[in-house]
Amino acid sequence: MTKQVKRVDQAKVRQRRSTAFRMNFLFFAIFILFSVLIFRLGYLQIVKSEDYVMQLEKKEEIPINTSVPRGRIFDRDGRILVDNEPKNAITYTKLTGTTTAEMLITAKKLSELIEQSTNRITTGDKRDFWILNNSEEASKKITEAEKKKIFDDPDLKDGKAQGEINRLTRERITKEEINSFTEEDLEVLAIYREMMSGYAFSPQIIKSGDVTDREFAVVSEHLSDPELVGVNTTTDWERVRKSLSTILGTTTSPTEGIPKSDVDYYLWRDYSRNDRVGRSFVEQYYEDLLKGQKTIVKNIKDRTGRVVETKTVKEGEPGKDLILTIDSELEFALEGIVSKKLLELKNGPNSQALDKAFLVMMNPNNGEILSLIGKQVVTNKDTGEKEIRDYAFGTFTAAYEAGSTVKMATLLTGYQEGAATIGETKIDEMLEMAGTANKSSLFNQSFNRIPINDIVAIGRSSNVYMFKTAIAIGNGSYRRGGRLSIDKDHAFEVMSNSFKSFGLGAKTGIDLPGEAVGYTTEPEYPGLILDYAIGQYATYTTLQLAQFVSTIANDGYRIAPKVLKEIREPSINGQHFGPLIQESKINILNRINNTNEEIKQIQRGMNYTYHGQYGTARSWFNDKPYDAAGKTGTAQSEVTIDGVYYKTINLSHVGYAPYENPEIAYAVLIPNVSTNRSKYESHQNDIAEEAVDKYFELKAKKASEIQYSTVVEEIKPPFESADK
C-alpha cells in the first residue's frame, strides 16, 4: 500500500514538473515574441520611419501637367530656330471625386462666359451627351427582357454585359434625338468633352490661343464661384518655328497628346495623356531635355480621403535650350543654291523623274553638321505652279546609287587586301568577258590601252582600275574573252565590311531618329561586284557620303555626325543665353584599316580631281583662291513614277576644303536628274562649287565683323528659309 502511494506521489511530482516546464517554455516563447515585436516596432519607428514617411508623401505628391514652355532651339551663332509664343488659356482640373453631374454644371456655367467652337464634336459625343441629359429615356431603349437575356449570356461576364447594354443604347438613339440640341447645348457639349478628355489632377486645356482678353478677364473674376471648381486661367505656350527645316521636327498639341503607339512608354515616364511631346527629329530625339519639369503638388485630404487642398511642393521649370551645330546663315544661302538649281533642272528637258536634290556640309574634324539641305519640287494643286518644299530629313532617310564618288573606298579596300599598291599602274582598257556586257571607263570606251596610276584613277575616274582592283580582292583574274573569275562571296564580304568602316552602308550615328542604311544586299551575280566597286549597285544616303569623305579628310577617323552643339539653361531675359550645362562630345566610331600614306595617296587623287590635267572637276575648282579636293560621280539608276518606268542618271559630288587643313566636308546628290543617260550636264559640280564658294565668302565676312565671336552668348534674330 505504501509503495503504491509513493508511486502516485512520484507521478504527481513528475506531472507538476512537466507542467512547470511547459509553462516556463510558454512564458519564454511569449517573451521572445514580444521582444521581436518590440524590436520590429522600434526598427520601423526609428530606423525606417523616414523611408515610410517619404513613401507616404510620394503617394500624396503627384506631377501635374502645368504648361511650362519647352526649351528653345538655336543655331550655332545664336539665331533662334524654334521659339515659344505665350497664349491665354482656360483650363479645367478634374479631381478623383468629381462627378459627371458636377462637371456638367461647370461646363454650363463656363459656356456663359466664353465662346467655344463646336467643330470638334462628333456623332459619338452627341450620343453620349444625349444619354447624360436624358437618362430615363435612354434606359427605356433596352427592354427588361433584353437586359435579362444579356445578363444571362455566359459570354458576357466581367462587365461585358453592361458594355453591351451601353452599345445597344447608343445605337438606338435616333437621328432626331441626336440633332435635337440647340447651339447653346452644343457649346456646353464642346466644353464638356474637353473636360472629360483630361485625367485626375491633370489640367486639361479647354480653350487656348483664341481666348480673348475679355474672356480671360471674365473667367478670372468668377474663379471663386462654386460652379467653376477646377477651372483656372493660365498661360499656355505655342511652338513657333522660325525655320522651315524639317530636321527641327514637330510636337503634338495638347489635343493630340502623346502618340497612341507610345502611350505605355510615356506614361511610364510620368507623362499625362494630353502632354505635348516631340514627334519627329530634333524635337523627338531631345525630348527629355526640351520638355521641361512639371509642377509637383501635394494632396491634402480629409478623413474621408477627399482632397480638400493642394500645395505646391516644387514649381515647374522650362525645358533646356539647345544650341545646334547648324549655321543658319550658311544654310539659308545653300538652300537658295540648291532650290534654284533644282527648279532650273525641273524646267529643263528629260526631267520627268527628277524631284529632289541634296547637299550636306559638315566639319570633318568633330562631326558638326553645318547644313543639311534637302529640297523637293512639287506642283501646287491650286496654282499649277512648281514650288520648292523642304526635304532636309531626306539627307539621311533616302538612299540612292552614288556612282564614282565611292571609288576611294574601293581603292582603300584594295590597299588593305594587297589588291592595289601605292603608285601602282594598271591598264585602263575595254574589259571583254564571256556572258557579260563589255565594261569600260567613260573616257576610254574604245579598245585603247591607257596606263594610269592610282592618283589618276581617282582624279580621272577610271572604272577599269576599280574593276581590276575588285577582281583582285575576290582572288580572281581577268582574261580577255573569258568568263569573269572572282570569288563573289569573299569579295562582297571584304568590300562590304570595309565600306561600312568608311560610313558607306552603315548608320552614321547622327543624333536624329529614322536614319536609313541603304541597300547593301549581297549581289546575285559576279558581275555585280564590279558595279559595286564603282557605286552602281548599293545605295547610300547623302549623309553617308558626307561622313565617308570626312573620314578621308581627317586622315581615317569615322566620326558620328551631330546636330547638337550645346545644352544650356533657359534664357532668363530672352536676350542672352543661360549658363552652359554641357557641350556635345566628339564621337569617334572607328579608325579605318589603312596606313597614313595610303590615305594621303587617296587625298592626292582627290586633289587631282580638282587640279589635275584630266581631273573631272578641274573646270569648276582649279582656279579657286582656296585649295580643295573632291570626287565626282554618275550612276545609272531606274525609277517608276505613276506606273511609268524610267531609266535615269544620278549625279553626285563629294569633297573637302581646304586641302591641307580641312574645315568642311561636303556631299551633293541629285537622283534621277535625267531620263536621257547619254545627254546630261554635271549639275552636281555647279552646286558643289557654289556651296564651297559661299562658305569661304561667309567665313571672310564673319572674320571682318568686329562684334563676331565664336562663343554663343547673345540671341540673334533668325534667317527665313529660302523656300518662302
Side-chain angles (χ1 to χ4, degrees), residues 221-237:
E221 291 173 2
H222 289 80
L223 291 180
S224 59
D225 292 358
E227 298 96 333
L228 293 183
V229 173
V231 175
N232 195 14
T233 51
T234 185
T235 300
D236 190 24
W237 301 89

Side-chain angles (χ1 to χ4, degrees), residues 678-696:
S678 61
K679 189 176 182 180
Y680 54 88
E681 301 294 331
S682 300
H683 305 288
Q684 80 279 33
N685 299 341
D686 299 335
I687 293 177
E689 177 193 22
E690 292 185 47
V692 180
D693 286 351
K694 181 57 66 174
Y695 169 80
F696 285 107

Side-chain angles (χ1 to χ4, degrees), residues 691-705:
V692 180
D693 286 351
K694 181 57 66 174
Y695 169 80
F696 285 107
E697 174 189 326
L698 292 178
K699 178 186 176 182
K701 172 192 169 187
K702 290 179 179 180
S704 65
E705 293 176 355

Side-chain angles (χ1 to χ4, degrees), residues 261-558:
S261 59
D262 300 317
V263 167
D264 292 339
Y265 170 81
Y266 284 110
L267 292 182
W268 183 79
R269 297 165 70 88
D270 290 330
Y271 280 75
S272 299
R273 291 179 183 268
N274 60 342
D275 276 344
R276 292 180 177 89
V277 297
R279 60 183 172 187
S280 60
F281 307 119
V282 172
E283 292 274 17
Q284 178 184 349
Y285 195 89
Y286 289 107
E287 168 67 22
D288 287 346
L289 294 171
L290 292 167
K291 67 178 181 179
Q293 177 62 54
K294 294 181 180 181
T295 294
I296 305 297
V297 300
K298 181 177 181 178
N299 297 323
I300 309 300
K301 303 178 182 179
D302 60 17
R303 292 181 179 180
T304 65
R306 181 182 179 184
V307 177
V308 295
E309 183 183 0
T310 58
K311 292 184 177 180
T312 300
V313 176
K314 182 179 180 181
E315 293 288 351
E317 299 176 359
K320 307 302 182 187
D321 287 345
L322 303 185
I323 312 298
L324 302 189
T325 62
I326 301 295
D327 183 335
S328 60
E329 183 178 17
L330 174 65
E331 186 164 79
F332 175 79
L334 300 190
E335 282 180 335
I337 292 170
V338 175
S339 297
K340 179 181 178 181
K341 177 58 68 174
L342 181 57
L343 273 177
E344 175 187 319
L345 294 176
K346 189 62 180 177
N347 290 325
N350 307 313
S351 62
Q352 301 95 316
L354 170 68
D355 67 340
K356 301 178 184 72
F358 305 97
L359 166 63
V360 174
M361 186 174 288
M362 61 186 290
N363 185 326
N365 304 303
N366 57 21
E368 291 185 356
I369 297 290
L370 300 178
S371 64
L372 283 175
I373 311 294
K375 296 299 174 182
Q376 183 174 24
V377 60
V378 298
T379 301
N380 187 300
K381 293 181 180 180
D382 297 328
T383 65
E385 297 293 325
K386 295 183 180 66
E387 60 184 29
I388 297 295
R389 292 183 183 172
D390 192 81
Y391 190 54
F393 62 89
T395 55
F396 56 90
T397 62
Y400 306 91
E401 295 91 343
S404 297
T405 45
V406 308
K407 286 178 178 176
M408 293 83 74
T410 299
L411 192 48
L412 284 166
T413 305
Y415 291 153
Q416 294 173 12
E417 297 298 310
T421 58
I422 294 176
E424 179 182 1
T425 296
K426 296 180 186 288
I427 302 299
D428 188 291
E429 58 185 328
M430 178 79 73
L431 297 188
E432 300 176 272
M433 295 169 287
T436 301
N438 292 350
K439 291 183 175 293
S440 66
S441 301
L442 287 177
F443 65 84
N444 183 20
Q445 299 187 48
S446 64
F447 290 95
N448 294 330
R449 290 171 54 83
I450 303 175
I452 57 175
N453 62 21
D454 47 358
I455 291 178
V456 178
I458 292 293
R460 198 174 184 182
S461 199
S462 169
N463 290 340
V464 175
Y465 200 102
M466 304 306 151
F467 294 152
K468 291 184 175 181
T469 300
I471 292 171
I473 292 172
N475 300 318
S477 60
Y478 167 69
R479 181 173 59 85
R480 176 174 290 184
R483 289 196 171 275
L484 176 61
S485 170
I486 187 173
D487 184 341
K488 174 179 68 71
D489 295 341
H490 174 74
F492 180 76
E493 180 181 3
V494 170
M495 294 177 69
S496 176
N497 289 336
S498 179
F499 278 33
K500 288 176 182 177
S501 73
F502 307 138
L504 299 174
K507 288 191 174 182
T508 65
I510 190 172
D511 50 342
L512 291 172
E515 181 180 9
V517 174
Y519 181 82
T520 57
T521 304
E522 181 175 344
E524 184 177 358
Y525 305 108
L528 293 177
I529 291 292
L530 305 189
D531 293 339
Y532 183 43
I534 61 169
Q536 299 276 4
Y537 174 73
T539 62
Y540 310 108
T541 66
T542 314
L543 184 60
Q544 285 177 328
L545 294 175
Q547 185 185 56
F548 165 55
V549 73
S550 292
T551 303
I552 295 173
N554 67 34
D555 298 333
Y557 294 93
R558 185 165 77 102

Side-chain angles (χ1 to χ4, degrees), residues 135-152:
S135 56
E136 291 185 8
E137 290 85 347
S139 65
K140 296 177 182 178
K141 296 286 184 181
I142 311 296
T143 66
E144 292 300 323
E146 288 177 318
K147 291 179 181 178
K148 185 177 184 304
K149 183 179 179 180
I150 291 172
F151 280 109
D152 290 343

Side-chain angles (χ1 to χ4, degrees), residues 28-41:
F28 180 75
I30 293 173
F31 171 77
I32 294 297
L33 290 175
F34 270 101
S35 297
V36 171
L37 180 61
I38 292 171
F39 176 79
R40 180 63 178 169
L41 289 174

